[in-house]
Amino acid sequence: MAWLVVRLAISVSLLYTASAVFEDQVGKFDWRQQFIGKVRFALFDTHSQASKKLLVATDKNVFASLNSRTGDLFWRHVDKTGPEGHIDALLMYGQDAVVVVGNGRLLRSWETTVGGLKWETVLDTGSFQAAALVGVQDLVKYVAVLKKSAISLHDLSSGSQIWVENLPDSDSVQYQTIYSGGNGLLFVLGVVPNSHIVIVEYKIEDGEIMNKKSVEAAWMSSLESSCAVISSGILLCVDQITQSLYTLSLQSAEQTEMRQIHLQTLDLEVASGFRPVLTSTQPNPAQPPLSEFFLQLSPDHHILLQFKDGLIAPLRDFSPSYLAAFATSGERTVAAVMSPKNDTACSINLFSADTGRRHLDTTVIYHMDPNGGKPNRLYVHAFLKKDDSVGYRVMVQTEDLTLTFLQQPGRVVWMREEALADVVTMEMVDLPFTGTQAELEGEFGKKAAIQDGLLPMVLKRLSSQFILLQAWLAHLWKLFYDARQPRSSVKNEVTIDILSRDEFNLQKMMLMVTASGKLFGIDSKSGTILWKQYLENIQPNSVFKLIVQRTTAHFPHPPQCTLLIKHKDTGLGSLYVFNPIFGKKSQISVPALPRPVLQTLLLPVIDQDYAKVLLLIDDQYKVTAFPSTKNVLQQLQDTASSIFFYLVDSSQGKLSGFRLRKDLSTELIWEVVIPTEVQKIVAVKGKRANEHVHSQGRVMGDRSVLYKYLNPNLLAVITESTDTHQERSFVGIFLIDGVTGRIVHEAVQRKARGPVHFVHSENWVVYVYWNSKFRRNEFSVLELFEGAELYNSTVFSSLDRPHAPQVLQQSYIFPAPINTLEATLTEKGITSRHLLVGLPSGNILSLPKMFLDPRRPELVSEQSREENLIPYAPEMPIREEWFINYNQTVSSVRGIYTAPSGLESTCLVVAYGLDIYQTRVFPSKQFDVLKDDYDYILISSVLFGLFFATMISKRLAEVKLLNRAWR
Amino acid sequence: MCRVCRVCVAALLLLAMRASCSLDIKLHDDEDEDEDAMFQTPGGDVRVRVSGRALVPGVRAQDWIASARVLLDGDKHVGFLRDDGSFTVSDVPSGSYVLEISSPTYRFQPVRVDITTTGKMRARVVNYIKTSEVIRLPYPLQMRCIGLHSYFIPRETWGWSDFLMNPMVLMMVLPLLIILLLPKVFNPSDPEMRREMEQSMNMLNSNQELPDVSELMTKFFSSPKSHGKAGGGARGHRGGAPSARGGASRRKMKD
């Protein structure tokens, strides 16, 4: 019964806090973009001519089918993250695609039209080497998987294992490739580096070893990178040291050593330091490969060669050429070669593979993005046209992970920015004012205006009003003009030139930094990419930090953002300064950072150009200021004694606080050591700098006030125990004052382990951990209060707070796993807060903070009811109405970014992971604007009705009065 | 004033402490978990496959399986659905997991799957509060769709019924109806009826201190006397009758 009462109370309270989506709001202010990641394998469905399928497997453990005409996803399957979901190989035959997953752990077959699984088999352990389709008598029936020490053959239609054999001498021989030419035999090729090649011949029916031979090859270190099988079982290898090609017939028993062909005899030479690459093609797995192959001799030199009667003859030399690829349609195999045309464009041409002759009218021009990277992969889809000539489409992947799909004669059919599948950090920047808006703002801002006197100010006012009127008329005219045009011809293109801040500042510029080193500027309203910039020479495991130094508020100074790029291992960093609206690199000179950067600090101090000062602390605790003009240094000297910062050394479990000295050196103020033998520091978080707290305290049931402990210098430190045994593991939280080093509070959650997600805001910390005893996620909330009196209500100083805050804590069960956690943020902090929880299912849950209130009472009392406290219930509710992204799920969500808008009720939310989803949330409903279902018709009809009623009744009254006067 | 505050804070703190204590009790009260222990040692060499079948009645499997996944404890282990709705999650080490089918359209009840170190398996109802409670479910799993996700809340729409059922409106309209209709139902000129009404009025108005609702209403809704006389003379006779009577009877009582 009591339970029922609690439930009832919850449901009643929900009526007031619900922030759900209405069905008619779908797509109104939210959008989602789906990505796949860096393509590792791509196969075009050549099964039928009209097929639009393009199967891709990517480094994000995604296996997907794209529509090759539009670039949209047909379906997409996201496997578990990490190496266990890694896709090792993708093979396709007919309607089926076979995928090897998790270092050869799983073999899956997919039905490609629907996207359903056909079968799945678990393979034996052992690191994966190669996989191939095996055909017998023109029919592809099997798939063979080569592991480090075993080979297995599986039936293609059911996945059942036909046979598995251990490889001979697998501890000394590195088996690397398999080959089958459709003649009932399966060859496994292995190498003993710098000694010899081993070739084992298996019978396909039962796995019996038919033959085994070893061939001297002292020059060879790896088969995989330097060899290929061509033309009815000829192993072809290339070696750059001896500058030779080697051939070996796999089947013949007589040939016991490799035949050497000097490249010189072909008038060829490998560029020094370049590892030559052989590319062959086997259009049908049941038939031997073609005898033509590509040899790449330098980064921009390919040559098409042919093997005939034991001789190798060059067919065509492509110099210069960046990329080359084979493609087959029906019986005809073609080769596409990309060669540079000029500085900004490449041309792709088609050649017939067997003769090397160029196909006429097959040139496709590929324009390179000046802000992008070089093309590095070419995927060709060849098809037969009606007149039996070969047509083709190409997909080009570049270093910055742009996929471009081109059609003859160079039309870009679609483009995907796959770098966005791995967003590392992001910011939202206000859009600039238009000229007229800036004019109007400037009128009040300028100091000169006050000295002008009355009359000039009036004139100025009038003139700016006139400009506004003009702008409005122009807008009206445009509306009218657009309305007359047929709908299709009106382009809704968004460009940066027409973008300006809207009335409520709801439309912003999203700056996204991706792991590949590509920066994006995206319009938050439509999701259009407005600019992109690829930063070359970014180490693959760099960490990024994006800092907004100057917002758009300081017209005519352009806004300025700084990206700190730091190498993960060495810690050496560099700064990249750019304009966030246009994406252009700024000309400002950047300080050199010769030493590893430990910490950055954005000060509220501004220089004469209104840029906030960024301090960078290196490993010798020296401080570099950026910008470092005289003005800034002077200001820093004045305020140095009140600038503090902290450093975290998680390897030694040390937190230390420093103070800035006048000469930009630092002194150690405090140090907290958390012994690493017991626990390690996992994360440290302060509060967000742009956060506002509107109310200083909470009014309680008896009309007294409980004041919040609002320490802006408070750090939340999360630790995890080094002992991972589930009985002894724990999660700890320390609240430490960043200026004095005083530990304000500490709490320990026993029998708990990470990953811990937490939010630190206002006077509370919310964290989630895994309760290993009960195997469930639990939320815990810490709230800090000063008490009924405020010690110093005017200003907060960490150095002068004698009383320790009162800490309240409560924990709740959360009935779902969690990927990420963030809190909503509004401009003035009046709106109630919600927590945004990213779930593994891809939904974003908006959980009212009201549920995470440590003052939720066990027993309902008059006072608690007065305060609107929800009675305590151990389990947190999850309601589907709270999913702010309804069915637009965000796959493997990694982060949520929140930003305030110009409306107090509205918070902008961006969730990123594999997908990007942007929306707005209204934690306390839209209390400051009219609802979008506001009934204008009703209200105006009532108004008009009343108006007419008064008119009529007035007339009637007149008539009546007149009548009475006559009586 | 200050003392009151302090008392209040103390009370509050007490409340909070009690809350956190009782929470502790709540979260950790079920201690009987001896049989849980057998699932707790993670690792071991045993790797099993969890299999089952998911069903959405009335919908072809092809239409929903491409966007659905089988998740074990978040995305620790992932499985995919075949076109007959069956699934297997391969390569799962021993432990206890919550298996759920995540689909953007259809809703499924999650199931807890326990795998012992020897590879034995059982399925049971997920209960996060009493984690050791065992309500067995069939294995291989039978996941049945329990409806569509309801992501949206309906808009409040304006309708006549809503308007009329509004308590304010009811309060205004009903007395009006009574005032207008009652005189027509009863014939006030009938002397017997008049006597009866007078009696009942006396009974009702026994407490003179309380303001009489009906009287208030009649005061509000009947036109002022001067107006009534000046306006329609015919109406005054019928409609005004009960109110005049009520007023008269009250005067009588006062005397």
Side-chain angles (χ1 to χ4, degrees):
Chain A
M1 186 62 201
W3 186 241
L4 203 84
V5 169
V6 168
R7 276 277 161 93
L8 202 78
I10 289 174
S11 55
V12 166
S13 62
L14 289 187
L15 287 177
Y16 301 105
T17 60
S19 84
V21 187
F22 296 109
E23 196 156 5
D24 52 78
Q25 284 180 328
V26 166
K28 229 174 181 179
F29 45 72
D30 63 326
W31 50 263
R32 176 180 68 165
Q33 287 174 10
Q34 291 185 306
F35 300 97
I36 47 176
K38 180 186 181 179
V39 172
R40 294 188 64 239
F41 307 100
L43 294 173
F44 287 95
D45 181 17
T46 48
H47 188 64
S48 72
Q49 284 295 329
S51 174
K52 293 183 246 174
K53 265 179 297 186
L54 164 61
L55 294 178
V56 286
T58 72
D59 68 337
K60 292 269 162 226
N61 303 350
V62 169
F63 178 52
S65 170
L66 297 178
N67 183 338
S68 65
R69 306 287 153 84
T70 61
D72 298 332
L73 289 168
F74 279 129
W75 47 260
R76 181 183 68 176
H77 290 295
V78 186
D79 210 334
K80 56 185 156 185
T81 47
E84 281 188 67
H86 185 83
I87 296 174
D88 301 312
L90 167 65
L91 307 165
M92 188 162 124
Y93 185 73
Q95 290 292 310
D96 301 337
V98 178
V99 175
V100 185
V101 180
N103 202 6
R105 188 69 182 144
L106 293 171
L107 190 65
R108 285 198 186 116
S109 172
W110 294 92
E111 211 285 312
T112 55
T113 40
V114 181
L117 187 68
K118 275 190 79 180
W119 49 261
E120 179 180 294
T121 349
V122 184
L123 304 180
D124 297 333
T125 48
S127 70
F128 172 78
Q129 298 295 333
L133 293 170
V134 177
V136 183
Q137 289 154 359
D138 282 358
L139 268 177
V140 179
K141 278 200 204 129
Y142 310 108
V143 55
V145 180
L146 179 69
K147 296 285 197 84
K148 197 173 181 306
S149 59
I151 177 162
S152 56
L153 195 75
H154 300 265
D155 187 71
L156 197 58
S157 56
S158 69
S160 58
Q161 191 173 23
I162 311 282
W163 51 261
V164 59
E165 291 294 328
N166 282 327
L167 295 164
D169 313 322
S170 63
D171 40 353
S172 60
V173 183
Q174 295 174 11
Y175 290 97
Q176 285 173 337
T177 48
I178 38 181
Y179 161 74
S180 157
N183 49 0
L185 291 172
L186 184 67
F187 295 92
V188 176
L189 312 178
V191 64
V192 178
N194 304 318
S195 169
H196 59 273
I197 304 176
V198 178
I199 299 161
V200 190
E201 206 175 308
Y202 286 97
K203 206 169 142 190
I204 285 177
E205 282 85 55
D206 51 7
E208 186 190 338
I209 295 182
M210 304 295 287
N211 195 0
K212 180 173 178 281
K213 66 177 176 183
S214 63
V215 180
E216 273 316 292
W219 45 270
M220 184 179 279
S221 58
S222 166
L223 261 170
E224 216 174 358
S225 55
S226 57
C227 291
V229 179
I230 53 164
S231 158
S232 64
I234 307 291
L235 180 68
L236 179 77
C237 295
V238 62
D239 177 44
Q240 77 262 38
I241 295 159
T242 52
Q243 294 270 348
S244 319
L245 289 167
Y246 296 88
T247 59
L248 173 73
S249 174
L250 293 173
Q251 269 160 299
S252 77
E254 301 95 64
Q255 197 182 353
T256 51
E257 70 182 26
M258 297 189 89
R259 268 188 44 212
Q260 187 177 14
I261 302 164
H262 281 284
L263 282 173
Q264 267 178 341
T265 59
L266 301 165
D267 281 341
L268 298 172
E269 195 185 357
V270 179
S272 64
F274 182 77
R275 231 192 141 83
V277 180
L278 283 169
T279 317
S280 67
T281 180
Q282 186 176 10
N284 186 349
Q287 273 165 12
L290 298 186
S291 50
E292 289 80 22
F293 60 95
F294 271 114
L295 173 63
Q296 189 180 5
L297 297 166
S298 77
D300 55 357
H301 187 194
H302 289 77
I303 185 158
L304 183 67
L305 298 153
Q306 190 177 37
F307 179 86
K308 209 171 187 181
D309 310 326
L311 290 172
I312 288 174
L315 286 177
R316 199 179 179 113
D317 197 337
F318 301 102
S319 181
S321 60
Y322 290 144
L323 299 165
F326 285 111
T328 305
S329 175
E331 293 297 304
R332 293 164 70 171
T333 300
V334 288
V337 178
M338 179 191 262
S339 18
K341 196 167 178 243
N342 52 39
D343 286 348
T344 59
C346 289
S347 65
I348 303 164
N349 282 296
L350 209 60
F351 302 86
S352 66
D354 45 359
T355 57
R357 205 177 309 128
R358 195 169 89 90
H359 286 228
L360 290 174
D361 302 327
T362 54
T363 309
V364 168
I365 305 294
Y366 169 70
H367 290 278
M368 286 194 283
D369 184 0
N371 300 327
K374 287 200 196 85
N376 63 357
R377 292 290 284 275
L378 188 67
Y379 301 97
V380 184
H381 180 210
F383 53 89
L384 288 176
K385 289 188 196 164
K386 282 196 183 104
D387 58 351
D388 211 34
S389 64
V390 182
Y392 74 119
R393 302 184 186 96
V394 283
M395 186 170 79
V396 182
Q397 180 171 269
T398 56
E399 285 169 346
D400 57 330
L401 309 186
T402 308
L403 289 179
T404 316
F405 196 79
L406 296 148
Q407 207 178 31
Q408 281 171 286
R411 191 171 71 87
V412 175
V413 184
W414 51 262
M415 222 164 138
R416 293 181 69 93
E417 289 291 350
E418 289 307 330
L420 284 171
D422 202 349
V423 174
V424 182
T425 175
M426 69 167 293
E427 281 289 340
M428 269 187 167
V429 181
D430 295 348
L431 288 169
F433 287 117
T434 54
T436 50
Q437 281 171 324
E439 182 79 14
L440 205 63
E441 288 280 310
E443 187 189 342
F444 303 107
K446 281 172 201 149
K447 278 183 189 146
I450 301 156
Q451 296 149 10
D452 277 353
L454 194 65
L455 197 68
M457 274 179 75
V458 171
L459 284 178
K460 201 178 263 178
R461 170 97 271 218
L462 285 177
S463 69
S464 55
Q465 289 298 71
F466 180 71
I467 291 169
L468 273 185
L469 183 73
Q470 245 181 339
W472 186 65
L473 285 177
H475 173 72
L476 278 190
W477 169 247
K478 194 174 176 302
L479 274 185
F480 175 68
Y481 189 76
D482 281 351
R484 279 188 358 187
Q485 303 276 332
R487 183 144 289 206
S488 54
S489 71
V490 180
K491 277 185 192 162
N492 283 328
E493 241 172 58
V494 186
T495 57
I496 187 59
D497 306 319
I498 59 158
L499 273 187
S500 68
R501 194 180 300 190
D502 59 337
E503 213 173 338
F504 298 127
N505 200 4
L506 292 166
Q507 188 175 7
K508 293 201 181 195
M509 175 69 94
M510 289 161 55
L511 299 179
M512 296 199 131
V513 182
T514 62
S516 61
K518 197 168 186 183
L519 308 182
F520 289 89
I522 299 174
D523 169 31
S524 77
K525 195 180 179 186
S526 60
T528 321
I529 295 170
L530 297 171
W531 58 264
K532 47 199 170 184
Q533 180 73 48
Y534 178 57
L535 308 179
E536 280 173 62
N537 308 323
I538 297 281
Q539 307 290 337
N541 54 348
S542 298
V543 261
F544 299 91
K545 185 162 185 179
L546 186 61
I547 301 135
V548 183
Q549 276 194 294
R550 183 166 54 217
T551 60
T552 38
H554 305 285
F555 189 79
H557 296 289
Q560 180 183 326
C561 277
T562 303
L563 181 69
L564 173 67
I565 306 150
K566 200 171 121 181
H567 194 266
K568 209 173 204 166
D569 303 324
T570 62
L572 287 171
S574 60
L575 292 177
Y576 177 80
V577 185
F578 63 101
N579 179 335
I581 302 299
F582 298 102
K584 291 203 185 75
K585 190 176 177 182
S586 168
Q587 299 304 318
I588 296 170
S589 64
V590 173
L593 304 170
R595 302 214 58 86
V597 178
L598 294 183
Q599 175 73 290
T600 58
L601 194 62
L602 189 69
L603 296 182
V605 176
I606 50 170
D607 71 346
Q608 68 269 40
D609 291 340
Y610 303 100
K612 282 186 186 165
V613 176
L614 180 70
L615 295 186
L616 303 148
I617 296 105
D618 64 21
D619 63 342
Q620 290 181 332
Y621 311 121
K622 287 274 185 317
V623 175
T624 314
F626 172 70
S628 57
T629 55
K630 213 170 208 172
N631 178 310
V632 169
L633 294 177
Q634 182 60 44
Q635 284 191 58
L636 279 180
Q637 268 188 16
D638 296 344
T639 53
S641 59
S642 62
I643 295 174
F644 297 83
F645 59 90
Y646 68 94
L647 295 177
V648 186
D649 185 349
S650 59
S651 63
Q652 290 176 28
K654 202 166 72 181
L655 275 144
S656 35
F658 292 83
R659 176 155 68 174
L660 197 67
R661 285 214 197 105
K662 283 197 190 324
D663 58 343
L664 290 190
S665 63
T666 55
E667 57 181 324
L668 183 73
I669 302 271
W670 55 268
E671 205 169 50
V672 173
V673 178
I674 296 165
T676 45
E677 299 88 65
V678 186
Q679 53 191 334
K680 56 177 189 294
I681 300 172
V682 187
V684 179
K685 246 189 220 174
K687 291 174 190 174
R688 287 178 69 161
N690 58 347
E691 173 183 285
H692 291 273
V693 182
H694 180 255
S695 120
Q696 287 279 310
R698 290 185 56 165
V699 181
M700 292 189 294
D702 60 355
R703 297 290 179 273
S704 65
V705 176
L706 187 61
Y707 286 100
K708 294 174 185 171
Y709 178 78
L710 296 168
N711 184 350
N713 310 317
L714 200 66
L715 302 173
V717 181
I718 298 281
T719 62
E720 274 178 41
S721 63
T722 43
D723 190 349
T724 52
H725 186 273
Q726 58 161 351
E727 286 293 317
R728 295 187 294 273
S729 67
F730 64 88
V731 166
I733 180 165
F734 294 84
L735 300 179
I736 296 178
D737 189 301
V739 170
T740 60
R742 176 177 166 185
I743 298 179
V744 175
H745 183 70
E746 60 181 302
V748 163
Q749 230 73 38
R750 295 198 186 285
K751 291 174 187 168
R753 61 175 166 80
V756 179
H757 303 280
F758 69 114
V759 177
H760 182 194
S761 179
E762 280 187 47
N763 64 328
W764 48 263
V765 182
V766 169
Y767 57 106
V768 196
Y769 51 87
W770 172 258
N771 184 330
S772 48
K773 186 180 177 192
F774 293 109
R775 295 183 298 265
R776 64 191 178 202
N777 276 297
E778 284 176 15
F779 259 110
S780 195
V781 56
L782 280 172
E783 256 182 55
L784 289 88
F785 292 100
E786 292 236 339
E789 278 170 81
L790 214 51
Y791 175 71
N792 181 352
S793 58
T794 48
V795 68
F796 188 95
S797 167
S798 288
L799 302 168
D800 181 30
R801 280 281 136 162
H803 310 300
Q806 302 163 1
V807 183
L808 309 182
Q809 181 163 19
Q810 238 176 32
S811 300
Y812 317 88
I813 299 162
F814 189 71
I818 285 179
N819 271 15
T820 182
L821 192 68
E822 188 53 77
T824 59
L825 194 66
T826 52
E827 197 176 27
K828 297 271 187 287
I830 300 168
T831 310
S832 60
R833 309 289 296 269
H834 276 207
L835 288 169
L836 300 171
V837 188
L839 305 176
S841 59
N843 286 115
I844 313 287
L845 178 77
S846 175
L847 188 68
K849 170 70 179 55
M850 219 174 152
F851 281 91
L852 291 151
D853 184 346
R855 298 182 57 249
R856 281 175 69 177
E858 183 90 341
L859 294 167
V860 187
S861 68
E862 196 61 46
Q863 286 198 2
S864 72
R865 206 172 296 145
E866 189 102 330
E867 268 189 78
N868 255 335
L869 292 176
I870 309 160
Y872 180 79
E875 192 169 341
M876 196 77 75
I878 293 184
R879 290 164 55 111
E880 284 165 346
E881 290 91 343
W882 292 349
F883 289 152
I884 55 169
N885 57 343
Y886 46 105
N887 66 356
Q888 305 287 299
T889 53
V890 185
S891 277
S892 44
V893 51
R894 261 179 296 113
I896 298 173
Y897 178 86
T898 53
S901 72
L903 279 177
E904 172 53 33
S905 67
T906 309
C907 169
L908 306 175
V909 176
V910 181
Y912 54 89
L914 190 59
D915 305 338
I916 295 173
Y917 180 76
Q918 190 277 142
T919 190
R920 299 171 193 164
V921 290
F922 319 101
S924 304
K925 293 196 173 174
Q926 282 175 288
F927 56 81
D928 46 6
V929 279
L930 285 181
K931 279 190 277 183
D932 37 344
D933 65 336
Y934 187 75
D935 209 335
Y936 291 96
I937 295 166
L938 183 77
I939 215 86
S940 45
S941 63
V942 166
L943 271 177
F944 280 113
L946 283 174
F947 178 71
F948 286 119
T950 42
M951 296 286 281
I952 291 161
S953 56
K954 195 180 168 191
R955 175 85 192 126
L956 286 177
E958 272 171 11
V959 169
K960 201 168 191 180
L961 272 177
L962 194 67
N963 284 345
R964 199 186 303 157
W966 272 106
R967 199 183 286 168
Chain B
M1 172 63 198
C2 192
R3 219 178 60 194
V4 173
C5 287
R6 212 172 295 155
V7 167
C8 158
V9 168
L12 253 171
L13 270 178
L14 211 76
L15 203 82
M17 268 171 64
R18 250 188 50 197
S20 61
C21 284
S22 53
L23 166 89
D24 253 326
I25 295 163
K26 267 218 168 118
L27 293 185
H28 302 285
D29 60 355
D30 31 352
E31 290 293 329
D32 54 326
E33 27 122 20
D34 43 358
E35 66 157 346
D36 266 20
M38 64 197 231
F39 303 116
Q40 289 190 347
T41 40
D45 278 323
V46 65
R47 293 249 164 174
V48 295
R49 65 171 59 185
V50 179
S51 55
R53 197 184 152 104
L55 237 134
V56 182
V59 180
R60 283 190 310 154
Q62 289 97 306
D63 297 340
W64 67 277
I65 50 165
S67 57
R69 288 201 296 171
V70 184
L71 301 178
L72 249 71
D73 269 10
D75 50 3
K76 231 187 230 167
H77 299 278
V78 177
F80 299 99
L81 291 139
R82 296 200 191 92
D83 44 12
D84 60 347
S86 64
F87 61 85
T88 51
V89 184
S90 310
D91 221 17
V92 184
S94 64
S96 175
Y97 304 91
V98 174
L99 182 143
E100 57 184 326
I101 292 185
S102 112
S103 158
T105 326
Y106 301 100
R107 200 148 56 116
F108 294 86
Q109 203 87 46
V111 171
R112 188 176 278 282
V113 178
D114 298 324
I115 305 163
T116 63
T117 43
T118 53
K120 272 190 195 157
M121 253 184 285
R122 71 170 182 201
R124 57 190 170 111
V125 174
V126 178
N127 188 340
Y128 283 107
I129 295 174
K130 275 184 163 178
T131 46
S132 55
E133 187 190 51
V134 179
I135 300 170
R136 292 291 283 261
L137 288 171
Y139 185 88
L141 302 165
Q142 292 292 323
M143 312 286 285
R144 230 184 140 71
C145 170
I146 50 167
L148 296 165
H149 285 297
S150 55
Y151 294 118
F152 305 108
I153 52 171
R155 285 260 188 214
E156 289 163 24
T157 48
W158 197 88
W160 278 106
S161 59
D162 293 343
F163 175 74
L164 289 178
M165 297 315 281
N166 190 335
M168 288 300 282
V169 174
L170 280 181
M171 240 165 74
M172 302 287 274
V173 170
L174 275 181
L176 203 75
L177 285 179
I178 290 165
I179 292 159
L180 288 178
L181 294 180
L182 264 183
K184 290 189 178 171
V185 177
F186 306 111
N187 191 357
S189 53
D190 183 11
E192 219 171 285
M193 184 70 93
R194 198 178 292 175
R195 209 176 306 127
E196 227 171 79
M197 270 177 72
E198 235 162 68
Q199 266 177 6
S200 62
M201 278 292 182
N202 286 345
M203 288 246 294
L204 277 172
N205 287 359
S206 54
N207 190 352
Q208 283 300 310
E209 299 308 309
L210 282 175
D212 185 4
V213 179
S214 64
E215 203 168 324
L216 265 173
M217 280 311 197
T218 43
K219 260 191 194 164
F220 264 105
F221 288 101
S222 64
S223 44
K225 264 169 200 154
S226 59
H227 223 93
K229 270 175 198 165
R235 200 193 62 113
H237 240 72
R238 273 193 197 167
S243 78
R245 191 144 309 280
S249 66
R250 212 175 70 172
R251 239 173 280 132
K252 222 184 277 169
M253 288 292 288
K254 259 186 187 162
D255 294 339

